[in-house]
Amino acid sequence: MATIKKIDPQITNLKSDENLLKYFTSDFRKGYIEVTNKKFVLPQYYLEFMDKIENFEVYDTDVFVVSHPKTGTTWTQEMVWCIGNNLKFTNVEIYKRFPFLEVTPLFDFRECPELFGELSDHLLDSLEYVRKLPHPRYIKTHLPWDLLPKQIRTGERNPKIIYVYRNPKDTSVSYYYHCRAVEGFTGDFNVFMDLFLGGRLTYGPFPAHVLSIFEQKNRENVLIITYEEMKSDLRSVIKNVMNFLSKNYSDEEIEKLEDHLSFESMKNNNSVNYANTGGKNFMRAGIVGSYKNDMTPELINRFDNWIVDKFGKTEIKF
Ligand code: PPS
Protein backbone atom coordinates (compact mmCIF):
# COMPACT_ATOMS: atom_id res chain seq x y z
CA MET A 1 0.00 0.00 0.00
CA ALA A 2 1.22 3.49 -0.77
CA THR A 3 2.50 5.59 2.10
CA ILE A 4 -0.08 7.69 3.78
CA LYS A 5 0.49 11.38 3.88
CA LYS A 6 -1.19 12.82 6.90
CA ILE A 7 -2.77 16.22 6.47
CA ASP A 8 -0.61 18.77 8.15
CA PRO A 9 -2.96 21.69 8.62
CA GLN A 10 -0.29 24.38 9.07
CA ILE A 11 -3.03 26.86 8.82
CA THR A 12 -1.95 30.40 8.26
CA ASN A 13 -4.43 33.17 8.30
CA LEU A 14 -4.00 35.10 5.12
CA LYS A 15 -5.65 38.24 6.36
CA SER A 16 -2.39 39.96 5.62
CA ASP A 17 -2.71 39.05 1.94
CA GLU A 18 -3.98 42.46 1.00
CA ASN A 19 -4.68 41.74 -2.64
CA LEU A 20 -6.84 38.74 -1.92
CA LEU A 21 -9.01 40.56 0.56
CA LYS A 22 -8.93 43.85 -1.25
CA TYR A 23 -10.08 42.47 -4.59
CA PHE A 24 -12.39 39.66 -3.49
CA THR A 25 -14.96 41.83 -1.81
CA SER A 26 -17.96 39.53 -1.41
CA ASP A 27 -19.79 39.11 1.91
CA PHE A 28 -19.48 35.34 1.66
CA ARG A 29 -15.66 35.41 2.13
CA LYS A 30 -14.33 36.59 5.46
CA GLY A 31 -10.75 35.57 4.90
CA TYR A 32 -8.51 32.83 3.57
CA ILE A 33 -6.33 30.08 5.00
CA GLU A 34 -3.45 28.00 3.72
CA VAL A 35 -3.61 24.25 4.20
CA THR A 36 -0.79 21.67 4.25
CA ASN A 37 2.84 22.43 3.56
CA LYS A 38 1.88 22.94 -0.12
CA LYS A 39 -0.05 26.01 1.02
CA PHE A 40 -3.33 25.31 -0.74
CA VAL A 41 -5.53 28.36 -0.41
CA LEU A 42 -9.10 27.97 0.80
CA PRO A 43 -11.70 30.29 2.27
CA GLN A 44 -11.58 30.58 6.03
CA TYR A 45 -15.09 29.08 6.26
CA TYR A 46 -13.59 25.79 5.04
CA LEU A 47 -12.07 25.37 8.51
CA GLU A 48 -15.51 24.55 9.87
CA PHE A 49 -15.76 21.61 7.45
CA MET A 50 -12.19 20.37 7.30
CA ASP A 51 -12.60 17.48 9.74
CA LYS A 52 -15.88 16.42 8.16
CA ILE A 53 -14.23 16.22 4.75
CA GLU A 54 -11.19 14.43 6.12
CA ASN A 55 -13.45 11.81 7.74
CA PHE A 56 -16.11 11.73 5.03
CA GLU A 57 -17.25 8.17 4.38
CA VAL A 58 -16.38 7.05 0.86
CA TYR A 59 -17.50 3.90 -1.01
CA ASP A 60 -15.67 1.85 -3.60
CA THR A 61 -18.61 2.46 -5.93
CA ASP A 62 -18.28 6.26 -5.76
CA VAL A 63 -17.10 8.09 -8.86
CA PHE A 64 -15.22 11.35 -8.34
CA VAL A 65 -14.33 14.03 -10.87
CA VAL A 66 -11.45 15.98 -9.35
CA SER A 67 -9.91 19.12 -10.82
CA HIS A 68 -8.53 22.58 -10.32
CA PRO A 69 -11.30 25.08 -11.15
CA LYS A 70 -11.94 25.94 -14.81
CA THR A 71 -10.11 23.01 -16.34
CA GLY A 72 -13.13 21.29 -17.94
CA THR A 73 -14.72 19.85 -14.82
CA THR A 74 -18.33 20.19 -15.99
CA TRP A 75 -17.52 18.77 -19.41
CA THR A 76 -15.82 15.80 -17.76
CA GLN A 77 -18.70 15.38 -15.32
CA GLU A 78 -21.26 15.19 -18.11
CA MET A 79 -19.10 12.68 -20.01
CA VAL A 80 -18.60 10.53 -16.91
CA TRP A 81 -22.27 10.74 -15.93
CA CYS A 82 -23.47 9.62 -19.36
CA ILE A 83 -20.94 6.80 -19.57
CA GLY A 84 -21.80 5.65 -16.06
CA ASN A 85 -25.56 5.81 -16.69
CA ASN A 86 -26.00 3.88 -19.94
CA LEU A 87 -25.91 7.08 -22.00
CA LYS A 88 -29.22 8.24 -20.59
CA PHE A 89 -29.22 11.97 -21.27
CA THR A 90 -31.20 13.79 -18.61
CA ASN A 91 -32.66 17.23 -17.87
CA VAL A 92 -31.76 17.07 -14.20
CA GLU A 93 -29.24 19.79 -13.36
CA ILE A 94 -25.72 18.54 -12.98
CA TYR A 95 -25.23 20.05 -9.53
CA LYS A 96 -28.10 17.86 -8.28
CA ARG A 97 -27.03 14.55 -9.81
CA PHE A 98 -23.24 15.14 -9.68
CA PRO A 99 -22.90 17.57 -6.76
CA PHE A 100 -19.95 19.64 -5.72
CA LEU A 101 -18.73 18.15 -2.44
CA GLU A 102 -17.37 21.31 -0.84
CA VAL A 103 -19.56 24.03 -2.31
CA THR A 104 -20.92 24.92 1.14
CA PRO A 105 -17.46 25.45 2.65
CA LEU A 106 -16.62 27.75 -0.26
CA PHE A 107 -19.43 30.26 0.19
CA ASP A 108 -20.57 31.36 3.60
CA PHE A 109 -24.11 32.33 2.64
CA ARG A 110 -25.33 32.55 6.22
CA GLU A 111 -25.14 36.29 6.28
CA CYS A 112 -26.02 36.99 2.68
CA PRO A 113 -28.67 34.50 1.48
CA GLU A 114 -30.15 37.18 -0.76
CA LEU A 115 -27.11 36.81 -3.01
CA PHE A 116 -28.07 33.31 -3.97
CA GLY A 117 -31.84 33.48 -3.76
CA GLU A 118 -33.50 30.47 -2.31
CA LEU A 119 -30.74 28.14 -1.23
CA SER A 120 -31.14 24.59 -2.40
CA ASP A 121 -30.37 21.65 -0.09
CA HIS A 122 -27.17 21.17 -2.00
CA LEU A 123 -25.88 24.67 -1.23
CA LEU A 124 -27.03 24.66 2.38
CA ASP A 125 -25.08 21.53 3.27
CA SER A 126 -23.27 19.95 0.36
CA LEU A 127 -21.56 17.28 2.46
CA GLU A 128 -24.87 16.06 3.80
CA TYR A 129 -26.40 16.22 0.31
CA VAL A 130 -23.59 14.05 -1.07
CA ARG A 131 -23.80 11.66 1.88
CA LYS A 132 -27.43 10.94 1.07
CA LEU A 133 -27.07 10.50 -2.69
CA PRO A 134 -28.25 7.20 -4.17
CA HIS A 135 -25.40 4.82 -5.01
CA PRO A 136 -23.32 4.77 -7.09
CA ARG A 137 -22.66 8.38 -6.15
CA TYR A 138 -21.15 10.85 -8.62
CA ILE A 139 -19.17 13.55 -6.84
CA LYS A 140 -17.35 16.68 -8.06
CA THR A 141 -14.56 18.23 -6.05
CA HIS A 142 -11.87 20.83 -6.65
CA LEU A 143 -9.90 19.66 -3.63
CA PRO A 144 -6.37 18.55 -4.44
CA TRP A 145 -5.38 14.96 -3.71
CA ASP A 146 -3.85 15.94 -0.36
CA LEU A 147 -7.20 17.17 0.94
CA LEU A 148 -9.43 14.38 -0.33
CA PRO A 149 -11.13 12.28 2.37
CA LYS A 150 -8.65 10.17 4.32
CA GLN A 151 -10.16 6.86 3.18
CA ILE A 152 -9.20 7.72 -0.40
CA ARG A 153 -5.64 8.75 0.39
CA THR A 154 -4.98 5.68 2.54
CA GLY A 155 -6.45 3.34 -0.07
CA GLU A 156 -8.94 2.00 2.49
CA ARG A 157 -11.62 2.79 -0.10
CA ASN A 158 -10.98 2.90 -3.81
CA PRO A 159 -13.59 4.98 -5.57
CA LYS A 160 -12.98 5.81 -9.21
CA ILE A 161 -11.17 9.13 -9.52
CA ILE A 162 -11.06 10.96 -12.83
CA TYR A 163 -8.77 13.98 -12.69
CA VAL A 164 -8.90 16.55 -15.48
CA TYR A 165 -6.39 19.33 -16.03
CA ARG A 166 -5.83 22.04 -18.63
CA ASN A 167 -3.03 24.34 -19.69
CA PRO A 168 -2.61 27.04 -17.05
CA LYS A 169 -2.89 29.97 -19.46
CA ASP A 170 -6.44 29.06 -20.53
CA THR A 171 -7.28 27.92 -17.00
CA SER A 172 -6.25 31.23 -15.47
CA VAL A 173 -8.17 33.29 -18.04
CA SER A 174 -11.28 31.18 -17.59
CA TYR A 175 -10.85 31.49 -13.80
CA TYR A 176 -10.56 35.27 -14.12
CA TYR A 177 -13.93 35.56 -15.87
CA HIS A 178 -15.46 33.12 -13.41
CA CYS A 179 -14.18 35.03 -10.37
CA ARG A 180 -15.52 38.30 -11.76
CA ALA A 181 -18.90 36.70 -12.42
CA VAL A 182 -19.46 34.69 -9.25
CA GLU A 183 -16.72 35.14 -6.67
CA GLY A 184 -16.80 38.87 -6.16
CA PHE A 185 -13.45 39.65 -7.79
CA THR A 186 -13.22 43.36 -8.52
CA GLY A 187 -9.55 43.71 -9.43
CA ASP A 188 -8.12 43.93 -12.91
CA PHE A 189 -6.75 41.20 -15.12
CA ASN A 190 -3.11 41.79 -14.16
CA VAL A 191 -3.82 41.62 -10.44
CA PHE A 192 -5.61 38.33 -11.02
CA MET A 193 -2.73 36.88 -13.01
CA ASP A 194 -0.26 37.86 -10.28
CA LEU A 195 -2.44 36.03 -7.77
CA PHE A 196 -2.67 32.96 -10.04
CA LEU A 197 1.07 32.79 -10.70
CA GLY A 198 1.79 33.38 -7.01
CA GLY A 199 -0.48 30.49 -6.00
CA ARG A 200 -2.69 32.83 -3.99
CA LEU A 201 -6.13 32.03 -5.46
CA THR A 202 -8.61 29.59 -3.98
CA TYR A 203 -7.45 26.01 -4.75
CA GLY A 204 -4.05 27.28 -5.83
CA PRO A 205 -1.17 26.84 -6.25
CA PHE A 206 -2.10 25.34 -9.61
CA PRO A 207 1.22 23.43 -10.00
CA ALA A 208 0.85 21.73 -6.60
CA HIS A 209 -2.73 20.75 -7.49
CA VAL A 210 -1.68 19.02 -10.71
CA LEU A 211 1.59 17.58 -9.42
CA SER A 212 -0.04 15.99 -6.39
CA ILE A 213 -2.34 13.83 -8.53
CA PHE A 214 0.58 12.79 -10.73
CA GLU A 215 2.19 11.33 -7.61
CA GLN A 216 -0.85 9.00 -7.48
CA LYS A 217 -1.05 8.19 -11.18
CA ASN A 218 -0.16 4.51 -10.74
CA ARG A 219 -3.15 3.77 -8.56
CA GLU A 220 -5.62 1.62 -10.44
CA ASN A 221 -8.51 3.81 -9.36
CA VAL A 222 -7.00 7.03 -10.74
CA LEU A 223 -7.40 8.19 -14.34
CA ILE A 224 -5.87 11.47 -15.51
CA ILE A 225 -7.18 13.22 -18.62
CA THR A 226 -6.75 16.67 -20.15
CA TYR A 227 -9.02 19.34 -21.59
CA GLU A 228 -6.78 19.53 -24.64
CA GLU A 229 -7.16 15.80 -25.40
CA MET A 230 -10.91 16.17 -25.07
CA LYS A 231 -10.80 18.97 -27.62
CA SER A 232 -8.55 17.16 -30.06
CA ASP A 233 -9.84 13.59 -29.75
CA LEU A 234 -12.94 13.32 -27.60
CA ARG A 235 -13.67 9.84 -28.93
CA SER A 236 -10.42 8.44 -27.54
CA VAL A 237 -11.03 10.04 -24.16
CA ILE A 238 -14.57 8.64 -24.10
CA LYS A 239 -13.21 5.16 -24.85
CA ASN A 240 -10.59 5.53 -22.18
CA VAL A 241 -13.18 6.53 -19.59
CA MET A 242 -15.52 3.72 -20.75
CA ASN A 243 -12.74 1.27 -20.18
CA PHE A 244 -11.94 2.77 -16.77
CA LEU A 245 -15.59 2.50 -15.73
CA SER A 246 -15.96 -0.99 -17.28
CA LYS A 247 -18.62 0.13 -19.75
CA ASN A 248 -19.04 -0.77 -23.37
CA TYR A 249 -20.95 1.15 -26.04
CA SER A 250 -21.23 0.85 -29.81
CA ASP A 251 -19.60 3.31 -32.21
CA GLU A 252 -23.02 4.72 -32.99
CA GLU A 253 -23.72 5.33 -29.32
CA ILE A 254 -20.32 6.95 -28.84
CA GLU A 255 -21.04 9.26 -31.75
CA LYS A 256 -24.28 10.38 -30.09
CA LEU A 257 -22.37 11.03 -26.89
CA GLU A 258 -19.80 13.09 -28.77
CA ASP A 259 -22.60 15.26 -30.18
CA HIS A 260 -24.17 15.61 -26.75
CA LEU A 261 -20.82 16.76 -25.31
CA SER A 262 -20.00 19.30 -28.00
CA PHE A 263 -19.54 22.86 -26.81
CA GLU A 264 -22.59 24.09 -28.76
CA SER A 265 -24.78 21.35 -27.39
CA MET A 266 -23.63 21.91 -23.80
CA LYS A 267 -23.94 25.67 -24.11
CA ASN A 268 -27.62 25.21 -24.99
CA ASN A 269 -28.26 22.52 -22.41
CA ASN A 270 -29.72 24.03 -19.24
CA SER A 271 -28.85 20.98 -17.19
CA VAL A 272 -25.12 21.73 -17.57
CA ASN A 273 -24.72 25.41 -18.52
CA TYR A 274 -25.56 26.90 -15.10
CA ALA A 275 -27.80 29.42 -16.90
CA ASN A 276 -30.30 29.30 -14.05
CA THR A 277 -27.75 29.92 -11.30
CA GLY A 278 -25.03 32.48 -10.67
CA GLY A 279 -22.83 31.19 -13.50
CA LYS A 280 -23.81 33.52 -16.30
CA ASN A 281 -21.80 32.88 -19.42
CA PHE A 282 -20.40 29.70 -17.90
CA MET A 283 -19.89 28.21 -21.37
CA ARG A 284 -17.69 31.12 -22.36
CA ALA A 285 -15.19 30.32 -25.15
CA GLY A 286 -14.64 26.57 -24.98
CA ILE A 287 -11.43 26.52 -27.00
CA VAL A 288 -7.73 25.81 -26.58
CA GLY A 289 -5.63 28.98 -26.72
CA SER A 290 -8.31 31.56 -25.87
CA TYR A 291 -5.70 33.17 -23.58
CA LYS A 292 -4.19 34.77 -26.70
CA ASN A 293 -7.16 37.16 -26.80
CA ASP A 294 -6.51 38.37 -23.27
CA MET A 295 -2.79 38.11 -22.50
CA THR A 296 -0.07 40.47 -23.69
CA PRO A 297 3.10 38.89 -25.18
CA GLU A 298 4.90 39.89 -21.95
CA LEU A 299 2.42 38.02 -19.82
CA ILE A 300 2.55 34.97 -22.10
CA ASN A 301 6.32 35.03 -21.75
CA ARG A 302 5.99 35.24 -17.97
CA PHE A 303 3.65 32.24 -17.98
CA ASP A 304 5.98 30.27 -20.25
CA ASN A 305 8.93 30.84 -17.91
CA TRP A 306 6.76 29.93 -14.94
CA ILE A 307 5.68 26.70 -16.69
CA VAL A 308 9.33 25.77 -17.27
CA ASP A 309 10.12 26.56 -13.65
CA LYS A 310 7.20 24.59 -12.17
CA PHE A 311 6.79 21.74 -14.66
CA GLY A 312 10.04 21.66 -16.64
CA LYS A 313 11.47 18.67 -14.80
CA THR A 314 8.20 16.72 -14.83
CA GLU A 315 6.40 14.63 -17.43
CA ILE A 316 3.69 17.31 -17.72
CA LYS A 317 3.91 19.32 -20.90
CA PHE A 318 1.76 22.33 -21.80
S1 PPS B 1 -15.79 25.03 -12.83
O1 PPS B 1 -16.61 26.23 -12.48
O2 PPS B 1 -14.49 25.09 -12.16
O3 PPS B 1 -16.46 23.78 -12.58
O4 PPS B 1 -15.52 25.19 -14.40
P1 PPS B 1 -15.07 24.02 -15.37
O5 PPS B 1 -16.27 23.23 -15.76
O6 PPS B 1 -13.91 23.30 -14.81
O7 PPS B 1 -14.51 24.79 -16.62
C1 PPS B 1 -15.28 25.67 -17.41
C2 PPS B 1 -14.57 25.79 -18.74
O8 PPS B 1 -14.82 24.62 -19.53
C3 PPS B 1 -15.40 25.03 -20.77
N1 PPS B 1 -16.32 23.98 -21.27
C4 PPS B 1 -16.16 23.38 -22.46
N2 PPS B 1 -15.21 23.51 -23.40
C5 PPS B 1 -15.37 22.76 -24.52
N3 PPS B 1 -16.40 21.90 -24.74
C6 PPS B 1 -17.37 21.75 -23.82
N4 PPS B 1 -18.38 20.91 -24.05
C7 PPS B 1 -17.27 22.50 -22.60
N5 PPS B 1 -18.01 22.61 -21.49
C8 PPS B 1 -17.43 23.51 -20.70
C9 PPS B 1 -16.11 26.33 -20.42
O9 PPS B 1 -16.43 27.05 -21.58
C10 PPS B 1 -15.04 26.99 -19.55
O10 PPS B 1 -13.90 27.39 -20.30
P2 PPS B 1 -13.72 28.84 -20.96
O11 PPS B 1 -12.30 28.88 -21.45
O12 PPS B 1 -14.00 29.86 -19.89
O13 PPS B 1 -14.70 28.90 -22.07
Side-chain angles (χ1 to χ4, degrees), residues 67-77 100 140 142 164 166 170-171 173-175 177-178 182-183 227 230-231 234 260-267 272 274 281-288 290-291:
S67 62
H68 182 284
K70 310 319 287 184
T71 52
T73 322
T74 315
W75 195 11
T76 304
Q77 282 175 274
F100 183 7
K140 157 186 169 175
H142 288 314
V164 60
R166 181 183 194 183
D170 285 335
T171 302
V173 170
S174 183
Y175 204 13
Y177 287 106
H178 172 91
V182 293
E183 300 215 8
Y227 182 96
M230 288 174 76
K231 282 299 293 188
L234 185 56
H260 176 76
L261 295 174
S262 73
F263 184 69
E264 280 312 312
S265 159
M266 283 191 53
K267 196 177 169 75
V272 291
Y274 291 99
N281 203 17
F282 184 87
M283 300 289 169
R284 194 186 59 91
I287 57 169
V288 175
S290 91
Y291 70 87

Side-chain angles (χ1 to χ4, degrees), residues 171-197:
T171 302
S172 61
V173 170
S174 183
Y175 204 13
Y176 166 73
Y177 287 106
H178 172 91
C179 287
R180 287 193 71 90
V182 293
E183 300 215 8
F185 182 72
T186 54
D188 71 19
F189 185 73
N190 290 326
V191 167
F192 191 88
M193 291 301 147
D194 284 346
L195 289 168
F196 184 91
L197 290 168

Side-chain angles (χ1 to χ4, degrees), residues 145 161 163 208-217 222 224:
W145 171 268
I161 296 186
Y163 184 91
H209 203 295
V210 177
L211 290 168
S212 54
I213 197 73
F214 268 81
E215 287 167 15
Q216 311 302 328
K217 68 171 188 178
V222 171
I224 304 177

Side-chain angles (χ1 to χ4, degrees), residues 135-149:
H135 290 222
R137 303 182 304 183
Y138 288 82
I139 305 166
K140 157 186 169 175
T141 177
H142 288 314
L143 291 170
W145 171 268
D146 308 59
L147 298 177
L148 293 181

Side-chain angles (χ1 to χ4, degrees), residues 37 40 43-44 51 92 122 145 151 165 184-185 195 202 204 210-211 216-217 260 275 282 286 292 295 317:
N37 58 0
F40 290 114
Q44 192 173 298
D51 283 348
V92 179
H122 168 231
W145 171 268
Q151 289 180 332
Y165 70 103
F185 182 72
L195 289 168
T202 304
V210 177
L211 290 168
Q216 311 302 328
K217 68 171 188 178
H260 176 76
F282 184 87
K292 289 176 195 150
M295 291 189 180
K317 306 287 167 229

